[in-house]
Structures are given as C-alpha cells and as structure tokens.
C-alpha cells in the first residue's frame, strides 16, 4: 500500500513529539506471577516519536481488524493525512485548530485511532514485537481488550493483553484519563488475565489511556498494568534474543497486517490460506519486490504497491514487465520522483519470513509448526532520544518496527533497482 501526500509536508513532519507518562497504576492479581520467571519490562517514562511513526502505528492497529482488505487499505491510507492536519507543530503533542472542523463522532473516532497508535508505540517501547487483535480470545467475550502482543520479555511465557483509549474532548483532564485507564483495565483486561487464546496464555495486561485537551493542549498518558507480586522488575531494557521463537499463529497475524500495508496481496492470500481462510491460491501466485538500498539498510518494496506509478510509462510491448525491463532511463523517470510514505520490509526480516512461508506452504496447513524462529530487529523512529531533529534534506526518515515492517518517508532515487521474486514453491529467486 502506498500513501501519497497531496501537499508538501508541513514542519510537523520534522519535529519529534515527546509524550510524558503522567500516571502508572499497578493492579494486584491472583495468582501472581501467572508464569514463573516472567518479569514485565520497566514502564517507559515517556515515548518519543516522529508523527509519521504515530500514523504508521495507527495503520498497524487498523489492519488487524476483520474487514475486507480494500476497506482496511483505505482506512490505513487515511492515517497519515489525518495526523498531518490534526496534530500541531512542535515538540510536544498538541492538536491543531483543524480538529474543530470535525463533527463530534468523527473527532471521537480519530481520538480512538490515535489512542490505538499511541498504545502500539508504547508496547514497542517496552520491547513487544508481534501483535494481533484481541478478538482472538473469543468473539463472544464482550467487553475485551483491543490487542494481543508477544515477543520480548513474554517470549516463552505466553502473550500480553493491551487495551487502548483516546480522548480529545473538552472534558479531558489528568484525573479523567487516569480514571479511564483504571476503569478499562478492571473491565476489559483484568477479567481475561490467565485465559488462553490461539497464541498462548495471557500472563499480563495493560490499559493505556491517552488524552489531549483540544484548546488547552494539555496531554496525558496513563497506564494501568498487572502487578507482579513476586520477583523484581528489571531496571534496564529487556534484552531480546537474536531469533526468538514466536507462535506461528501470532507471526502470521502480524505479517498479514504488514504485507497488507505493503500492498503485497499475493503474500496476504497465502497467509490467509495457511490460517484456514479462503481457497488455496494457484502455485504460480508469486510476488515481486523492488530492493531499496539505504545507508546500512536494505528494504523490500512490493511491486504491486508501485504499479499505479509505473503504469503510465508502460508501453504496449512491455508484456514481460517487470522481470526483463532494461530501460534504465525509464526507471529514472518513474522511481526518481517516486511516491512518499511507502511501507516496506527490512531485508533480513523479508528473507526469513518468506522462506519460512514457502516451507509452510510446502508442508501444508495441516502440518504447520507451533512456533517459528524469526529475527527481531532494532526499532528506529520509535524510540528516539530528544534533540535529534534535523532538516529533511539531512536525513532519510525511516520508521522501523521490531518485526521488520518499515515506513519509508520517501523512496530514494533508484537508477536501476534490484528485484526479488518470491515463489510459494521455490522461495526467493
């Protein structure tokens, strides 16, 4: 999926936002701990992110829903434009006057989506990697929290639950947001701690409430969390193994969202089939990618997502595009002014998952492994430190998550990009 801004990006895209944690309550649970040896990551004192990272996290959470792919794509595409116009410039998070142009229902919906994005940013700051919608607990559980997360400290123990809340009302205050975090924890998280889902046992939970006053610009971030009565929390970052095991079901849920955001719908179709949805795609249903090289980084961009930009330059005799296209000047014209805000997959993560995907397809969905060894990468653009703003021309903004998904603020000039073809039978060619 490609997201294209219709106007030049305003100054906010060059300003990192800092949101301080304004409250953190621990709620006792019996028994505790639910999994011996589990130690929750130390709660972050603040989250620091670029606005496009918030928009990317909003898109990541939206695409975990059960809805038609085309609808999910349109919802995800809208997030960058919403953040661009509804968030004010400056280092602190504040809402722009344009928010008042929204009707009450639209404002509430936008606040809820921002709350989900802030929750995703916080969970990544705590080291969690893999994600799914919490409806996987049970479609009949009402109410239930929003998201399931895995990886990091919870690897080998199960998963954690996360509830998200966002509010941009005139009634927003510190005590109100604190109350929302507590209320939603007790109502939508606590009852499900200890339950099991397809991804594993829920051993811990969070309720994240984010609020910003639309005129006063006061911003609050409150977290309610399960208290662990035995053991001590680590004071520093939790180390993540280079290739920890993740449940196959959770990895497929997360990567379905990732490849949907990338516009790689053939990968999505194969993931759906492995998860028991839809007919088996044809064995020739492969996927093609461009290779984008950045300093010390390499990313895969789906050709499907760039097709609208390439099509005007395709001639009638270009029937063998894109595998045997040798016109370098045409590459320059098309990709030299390429689209902005493109979702991509980091090279190591792409290779590892797509080779694993081919192996699972070859083995059949009746014999899928329970867990996969997939790489976990160092995030960027999510956990930045203050004071790192730089002119747009002096840096290449990349938002990268631990599972390999990345948002490239723009494509660099590509004279002749490399290509990779993924085949469900042969893997990567």
């Amino acid at each position: 999926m490609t997201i294209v801004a219709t106007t030049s990006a305003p100054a906010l895209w060059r300003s990192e936002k800092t949101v301080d944690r304004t409250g953190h309550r621990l709620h006792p649970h019996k028994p505790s701990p639910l999994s011996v040896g589990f130690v929750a990551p130390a709660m972050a004192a603040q989250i620091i992110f670029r606005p496009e990272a918030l928009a990317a996290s909003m898109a990541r959470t939206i695409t975990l829903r059960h809805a038609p792919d085309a609808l999910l794509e349109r919802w995800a595409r809208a997030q960058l434009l919403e953040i661009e116009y509804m968030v004010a410039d400056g280092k602190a998070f504040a809402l722009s006057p344009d928010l008042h142009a929204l009707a009450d229902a639209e404002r509430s919906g936008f606040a809820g989506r921002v709350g989900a994005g802030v929750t995703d940013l916080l969970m990544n700051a705590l080291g969690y990697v893999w994600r799914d919608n919490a409806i996987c607990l049970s479609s009949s559980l009402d109410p239930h929290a929003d998201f399931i997360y895995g990886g990091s400290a919870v690897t080998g123990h199960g998963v954690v639950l996360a509830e998200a809340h966002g509010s941009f009302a005139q009634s927003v205050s510190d005590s109100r947001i604190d109350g929302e975090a507590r209320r939603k924890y007790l109502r939508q998280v606590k009852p499900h701690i200890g339950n099991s889902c397809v991804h594993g046992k829920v051993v811990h939970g969070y309720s994240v409430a984010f609020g910003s006053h639309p005129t006063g610009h006061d911003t609050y971030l409150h977290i309610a969390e399960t208290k662990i009565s035995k053991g001590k929390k680590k004071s520093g970052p939790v180390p993540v193994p280079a290739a920890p095991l993740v449940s196959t079901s959770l990895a497929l849920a997360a990567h379905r969202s990732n490849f949907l955001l990338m516009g790689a719908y053939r990968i999505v179709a194969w993931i759906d089939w492995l998860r028991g949805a839809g007919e088996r795609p044809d064995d020739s249903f492969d996927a093609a990618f461009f290779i984008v090289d950045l300093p010390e980084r390499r990313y895969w961009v789906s050709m499907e997502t760039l097709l609208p930009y390439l099509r005007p330059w395709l001639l009638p005799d270009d029937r063998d595009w894109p595998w045997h296209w040798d016109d370098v000047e045409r590459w320059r014209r098309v990709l030299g002014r390429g689209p902005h805000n493109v979702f991509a997959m980091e090279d190591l993560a792409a290779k590892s998952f797509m080779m694993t995907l081919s192996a699972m397809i070859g083995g059949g969905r009746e014999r899928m492994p329970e867990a996969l060894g997939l790489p976990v990468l160092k995030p960027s653009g999510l956990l930045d430190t203050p004071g790192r703003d730089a002119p747009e021309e002096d840096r290449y903004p990349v938002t990268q998550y631990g599972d390999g998904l990345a948002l490239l603020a723009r494509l660099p000039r590509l004279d002749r990009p490399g290509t990779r073809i993924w085949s469900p039978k042969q893997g990567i060619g």
Side-chain angles (χ1 to χ4, degrees):
M1 184 197 68
T2 302
I3 308 174
V4 183
T6 56
T7 60
S8 60
L12 80 90
W13 295 106
R14 296 189 294 273
S15 298
E16 292 171 338
K17 306 294 181 184
T18 299
V19 174
D20 293 326
R21 166 171 54 86
T22 47
H24 181 210
R25 293 179 181 266
L26 297 175
H27 292 262
H29 193 90
K30 293 183 180 181
S32 180
L34 278 86
S35 179
V36 176
F38 171 69
V39 179
M43 181 52 62
Q46 60 182 199
I47 52 175
I48 303 169
F49 54 90
R50 292 192 297 266
E52 63 265 30
L54 174 57
S57 279
M58 291 165 65
R60 277 164 48 95
T61 56
I62 283 176
T63 47
L64 294 174
R65 299 182 185 180
H66 293 279
D69 290 350
L71 182 58
L72 292 175
E73 176 191 0
R74 283 162 176 77
W75 283 345
R77 181 186 298 135
Q79 304 317 301
L80 277 153
L81 291 177
E82 286 188 341
I83 289 298
E84 181 176 351
Y85 290 105
M86 298 302 168
V87 177
D89 187 20
K91 295 182 180 296
F93 185 95
L95 298 165
S96 79
D98 292 334
L99 185 75
H100 298 292
L102 298 181
D104 289 346
E106 292 173 334
R107 184 186 303 182
S108 296
F110 175 62
R113 292 189 293 275
V114 172
V118 167
T119 298
D120 187 60
L121 290 172
L122 177 66
M123 297 303 283
N124 277 271
L126 297 179
Y128 297 111
V129 179
W130 311 99
R131 68 199 189 281
D132 192 11
N133 194 296
I135 199 172
C136 65
L137 278 168
S138 172
S139 58
S140 61
L141 289 178
D142 189 22
H144 59 73
D146 291 309
F147 308 112
I148 291 282
Y149 282 88
S152 184
V154 81
T155 300
H157 297 280
V159 293
V160 301
L161 199 55
E163 165 66 12
H165 172 77
S167 178
F168 297 153
Q170 293 289 342
S171 58
V172 163
S173 66
D174 186 64
S175 60
R176 183 179 179 88
I177 298 303
D178 179 34
E180 288 290 349
R182 179 179 180 276
R183 181 178 66 84
K184 287 182 173 289
Y185 178 88
L186 295 175
R187 188 167 182 257
Q188 293 170 245
V189 177
K190 183 178 176 63
H192 309 301
I193 302 295
N195 291 350
S196 293
C197 66
V198 64
H199 307 314
K201 184 178 180 180
V202 178
V203 301
H204 200 68
Y206 302 86
S207 172
V208 181
F210 176 73
S212 185
H213 196 284
T215 55
H217 303 308
D218 295 321
T219 298
Y220 309 99
L221 176 62
H222 282 267
I223 300 100
E225 179 183 359
T226 309
K227 180 179 180 180
I228 299 178
S229 58
K230 295 182 180 180
K232 296 182 179 179
K233 290 189 176 182
K234 296 182 179 180
S235 57
V238 178
V240 179
L245 291 178
V246 55
S247 72
T248 300
S249 59
L250 189 56
L252 290 179
H255 275 312
R256 185 193 192 279
S257 166
N258 293 341
F259 283 92
L260 175 64
L261 289 169
M262 292 170 61
Y265 298 108
R266 296 187 173 192
I267 299 288
V268 172
W270 278 109
I271 292 175
D272 285 344
W273 177 75
L274 286 174
R275 298 175 78 195
E279 299 292 328
R280 178 188 169 97
D282 188 270
D283 285 340
S284 63
F285 209 53
D286 50 17
F289 298 85
F290 289 120
I291 301 302
V292 177
D293 284 307
L294 300 177
E296 300 181 358
R297 306 186 192 191
R298 171 173 285 183
Y299 294 99
W300 294 34
V301 175
S302 171
M303 287 188 184
E304 291 180 80
T305 200
L306 292 182
L307 186 58
Y309 299 91
L310 296 169
R311 192 180 299 281
W313 285 268
L314 296 180
L315 300 177
D317 59 352
D318 287 323
R319 298 183 181 89
D320 59 348
W321 177 87
W323 291 275
H324 304 290
W325 196 3
D326 296 324
D327 189 344
V328 176
E329 290 304 317
R330 189 178 303 174
W331 283 118
R332 285 198 182 103
R333 290 200 304 271
V334 177
L335 296 181
R337 57 184 184 189
H340 288 62
N341 300 320
V342 177
F343 281 99
M345 184 65 62
E346 190 275 340
D347 181 63
L348 176 62
K351 289 178 181 176
S352 179
F353 176 70
M354 284 192 272
M355 291 299 290
T356 300
L357 184 63
S358 292
M360 288 191 291
I361 291 170
R365 60 187 181 188
E366 296 80 12
R367 296 189 297 274
M368 287 200 302
E370 292 186 2
L372 304 175
L374 297 176
V376 171
L377 310 176
K378 181 181 179 180
S380 63
L382 304 170
L383 314 175
D384 291 340
T385 55
R388 295 187 57 189
D389 292 352
E392 184 73 15
E393 61 272 14
D394 292 343
R395 65 178 175 87
Y396 189 93
V398 175
T399 298
Q400 178 177 295
Y401 295 86
D403 59 9
L405 179 70
L407 178 66
L408 310 184
R410 64 181 182 275
L411 287 183
R413 186 177 184 87
L414 304 174
D415 287 344
R416 185 187 175 100
T419 60
R420 295 289 186 276
I421 307 300
W422 172 83
S423 164
K425 280 191 172 183
Q426 280 78 39
I428 299 168

